[in-house]
Amino acid sequence: MQTTYIETQQISFQDFKNQILEDYKLGRISREMSYLGRREVLTGKAKFGIFGDGKELPQLAMAKVFKNGDFRSGYYRDQTFALAADALTVESFFAQLYADTSVEREPASAGRQMNGHFATRSLNEDGSWKDLTAQKNISSDISPTAGQMPRLLGLAQASKIYKTVKFDGSEKFSREGNEIAFGTIGDASTAEGHFWETLNAACALQVPMIVSIWDDGYGISVPTKNQRAKADIAEMLSGFQRKEGENQGCEIIQVKAWDYPALLDAYARAEQFARMESVPVVVHVIEVTQPQGHSTSGSHERYKNEERLSWESQFDGLLKFREWILNYSIEIEGKEEVLATVEELDSIDDEAKKTVKAGQKNAWESYQKTITDLINSVLPLVENLKGQNAEIENYIGQFNKLVSKAKKDVFHLVRKSLLATRGTNSAERTNLMQKYNEIFEVEKDNYSSHLYSQSQWKAENIQEIKPVYSDASEDVDGRVVVRNNFDKIFEKYPQTLVFGEDAGNIGDVNQGLEGMQEKYGDVRVADTGIREATILGQGIGMAMRGLRPIAEIQYLDYILYCLQGMSDDLATVQYRTKGGQKSPLIIRTRGHRLEGVWHSGSPMAGILNLSKGILVLVPRNLTKAAGFYNTMLQSDDPSIIVECLNGYRLKEKQPDNLGEFTVPVGKIEVTKEGKDVTLVTYGSTWRIVMEAAEELEKLGISAEVIDVQSLIPFDLTHEIAESVKRTNRLVVIDEDVEGGTSAFILQQILEKQKAFRFLDSDPLTIAANDHRPAYASDGDYFSKPSSDDMVERIYALFNETNPQKYPAIF
């Protein structure tokens, strides 16, 4: 079992002195990084800067109780903590400021995130997991205020789960569940709902979590008193304080940002509560200063009065730390011992400046060399074209006049040169074209890779295993198929767990998990509160720690509560770390064509457009849904699986190979062959399309029906275009609003698959009305495409081309 900071602090005075001076040195280095970082932005060498000056001391104290295996989910001012945790160097700090695309030089995001967004690399180059217990872990930061909080809940809960859940390889993710998840947040951001939802859930679940609130009195320019019901967040949280003998609530500790000994004590106590008792802790760090203001975009002198600015200069944490060091003395064996002299601290200050300047210089030179090498490889090839177009020399002249050159300037020169020499067939132009293709591929990888998994476990690589049926296969309700498949999943994958509203005790509202909690326990099959954003967050954090969570959002409409986390966090995990982290979460939900405004929505276009990076799977029945779960549990891509809400009581033949059969992603299925028109749809609407297709047959129109099955990825082998090539007509039918998912599908078929070449009629989309669906069966009929709508509008296509054979209906 791991020890706590308190249990390891019996040290000699010399060791104590060394620790103090190391902290002072690191604090000074971090401060100089902030100072120099701001200058680099204001002189034009970097685009934007946001720094952690003023927060050095509390972050040094927090880092002392941060151990191997622990995780942090924070925000963009924790540079001192990242330095102390060996997750950041001076060079990598400035590499990120300059947006250096080298993973080696900027391992947090390879230049994809602005400065202050930290991350450690959880994955090997092949996408496999590292031993996360052998390193200190920082889950990749995001900018949205309080957006880091839901994920924090999952990171903390994973420790609690690992106390009882074991599987082959679990020792790489946890040591008996002794890890803590550390969260950091600015004081003003505690006004966000995500903060309250996360803290509430943590207090109910009793997870090992320490949340540090950096309170500098402002949210940019807005003072704390205008942010919340009470200016003092600790006072406001007093009702969350746990009572003796109760297994609810949290511990609340308030401490001043400039009081070094008190900070050490505060975090030592916080660790004791969290690590030894699995209790969430809030550390409210007050009287924080911001020596340089909020960011390089503005000056805090605009909104802070002279009194406040004077106070901040006097109570700067590093200044108070220096005073404390110089005033400290102790008598040991009759001799007075001090920590340092003025001269010694001045020497540390000078050395810190030199260290930071040297690191910045190295980072800048490495970054510039990348651009210089690019220029040297391209410019001679462009110059070789000067004789082929008079404009080329002008382009080169304009390029050479640029004081600071970026990659975009090099590419602009090359592309303008190729444009100017279009139609020219020369060896010089061919050489430039070849070089352009070469460097474009490099930058495409630098800026656009890893939106989805690139490992051997990516979903596209999971082989299809068809369902097996025999004479003994039973016709059962669809919910029984998915339930019995979950039974096989939980038996096969001990790291798999499911949680959501009503998912546990009653086996979900549609009985798709009936009996699973009784069989596998309330850790693996769990009920949650009504709090969709943190249900998603639980899943993100757990998946980042090697578990295979299935986060259940009761209805598709409720996904709207999750879209921020899906879009800003889950969908971007692999992208924003360039393959350094992953979170293979499965989101389970159900929806489509039920009853009423709030339970039959189809916000698919929102999901598609806001969540690129998450696979969007839309099975037409529960057997297909079960197959997708079996597929995705072998993959390391995140996904959302939308079960058909009106399919749980419909009969399906239950496969004999439950838990084994898979449905491939990006693979359509032709469910009815035809020769006159291709009908493309998905989900619950598929059944209505099939009914319409049968009616059309009676009218002399042979319709081919295609079930898309997965929207992302979409028809990877372009089979729909082959169908259109045979039928020469295309109709996309969808229950989303006009211009929603049907527009996405149409764009994929016409533009990506170039099926427009085969059309004899305009492509047609049949979508729902733009309002939410009205209540009851009549509401569905008049709100979303009915079989009558489909038959009439498809028939009209044929009436236009052959009115004699297909006379008008109306």
Side-chain angles (χ1 to χ4, degrees), residues 76 80 86 115 126 132 138 213 243 256 268 302 339 435 486 515 648 658 703 708 715 721 772 804:
Y76 39 77
T80 310
D86 294 324
N115 85 294
D126 65 355
L132 302 186
I138 293 178
I213 302 172
K243 296 179 181 178
K256 294 175 181 177
R302 291 188 302 166
L339 293 175
K435 174 57 68 173
F486 275 131
Y648 291 108
L658 290 170
V708 167
D715 187 15
R772 292 289 186 98
Q804 288 187 327

Side-chain angles (χ1 to χ4, degrees), residues 469-475 653-654 656:
Y469 298 100
S470 66
D471 293 340
S473 300
E474 296 182 89
D475 286 325
K653 192 171 289 294
Q654 180 168 267
D656 297 342

Side-chain angles (χ1 to χ4, degrees), residues 689-730:
V689 173
M690 288 294 286
E691 292 174 15
E694 295 303 323
E695 287 298 310
L696 289 167
E697 289 285 350
K698 298 173 185 177
L699 298 172
I701 298 171
S702 174
E704 183 150 291
V705 179
I706 290 177
D707 176 16
V708 167
Q709 298 197 105
S710 82
L711 291 168
I712 296 178
F714 185 88
D715 187 15
L716 294 170
T717 53
H718 293 189
E719 292 181 65
I720 296 176
E722 291 301 312
S723 173
V724 176
K725 187 176 181 180
R726 294 191 298 271
T727 67
N728 306 119
R729 288 180 178 84
L730 172 65

Side-chain angles (χ1 to χ4, degrees), residues 70 96 138 195 286 293 518 533 593 666 699 790 802:
D70 289 346
Q96 189 175 63
I138 293 178
F195 170 81
I286 61 173
E518 184 178 358
R593 311 205 72 132
L699 298 172
M790 297 173 196
N802 193 342

Side-chain angles (χ1 to χ4, degrees), residues 199 202-204 206-210 249-252 273-274 278-282:
L199 188 59
C203 289
Q206 290 292 281
V207 295
M209 182 175 96
I210 298 175
C250 65
E251 288 292 335
I252 302 168
F273 289 130
S278 191
V279 172
V281 185
V282 173

Side-chain angles (χ1 to χ4, degrees), residues 535-701:
I535 293 172
L536 176 75
Q538 283 175 254
I540 296 172
M542 289 180 191
M544 294 181 93
R545 292 193 58 189
L547 295 166
R548 293 311 312 263
I550 300 172
E552 177 168 316
I553 305 301
Q554 196 165 77
Y555 295 110
L556 181 59
D557 305 72
Y558 303 172
I559 283 286
L560 298 181
Y561 285 97
C562 302
L563 272 179
Q564 186 273 326
M566 289 171 61
S567 181
D568 290 322
D569 199 353
L570 180 62
T572 67
V573 168
Q574 293 213 53
Y575 172 76
R576 71 180 190 263
T577 60
K578 200 180 182 185
Q581 295 182 3
K582 61 183 175 182
S583 179
L585 168 65
I586 297 173
I587 303 168
R588 180 195 185 207
T589 189
R590 54 190 66 81
H592 303 313
R593 311 205 72 132
L594 187 64
E595 309 291 348
V597 173
W598 310 119
H599 293 84
S600 56
S602 183
M604 298 306 299
I607 294 169
L608 285 171
N609 288 299
L610 294 172
S611 300
K612 294 292 173 66
I614 301 173
L615 305 195
V616 181
L617 310 177
V618 282
R620 68 177 182 267
N621 58 36
L622 277 302
T623 301
K624 291 288 186 180
F628 275 135
Y629 289 116
N630 297 338
T631 297
M632 294 313 301
L633 283 168
Q634 298 177 58
S635 168
D636 60 1
D637 277 302
S639 63
I640 177 171
I641 299 174
V642 185
E643 298 174 9
C644 293
L645 186 50
N646 55 11
Y648 291 108
R649 303 297 171 186
L650 298 179
K651 297 297 182 184
E652 299 183 32
K653 192 171 289 294
Q654 180 168 267
D656 297 342
N657 56 338
L658 290 170
E660 301 298 330
F661 71 93
T662 59
V663 176
V665 302
K667 172 77 172 173
I668 63 103
E669 184 174 348
V670 177
T671 61
K672 178 186 175 299
E673 293 184 350
K675 58 184 177 59
D676 295 329
V677 61
T678 298
L679 310 183
V680 179
T681 191
Y682 65 89
S684 290
T685 301
W686 169 83
R687 283 191 290 274
I688 303 172
V689 173
M690 288 294 286
E691 292 174 15
E694 295 303 323
E695 287 298 310
L696 289 167
E697 289 285 350
K698 298 173 185 177
L699 298 172
I701 298 171

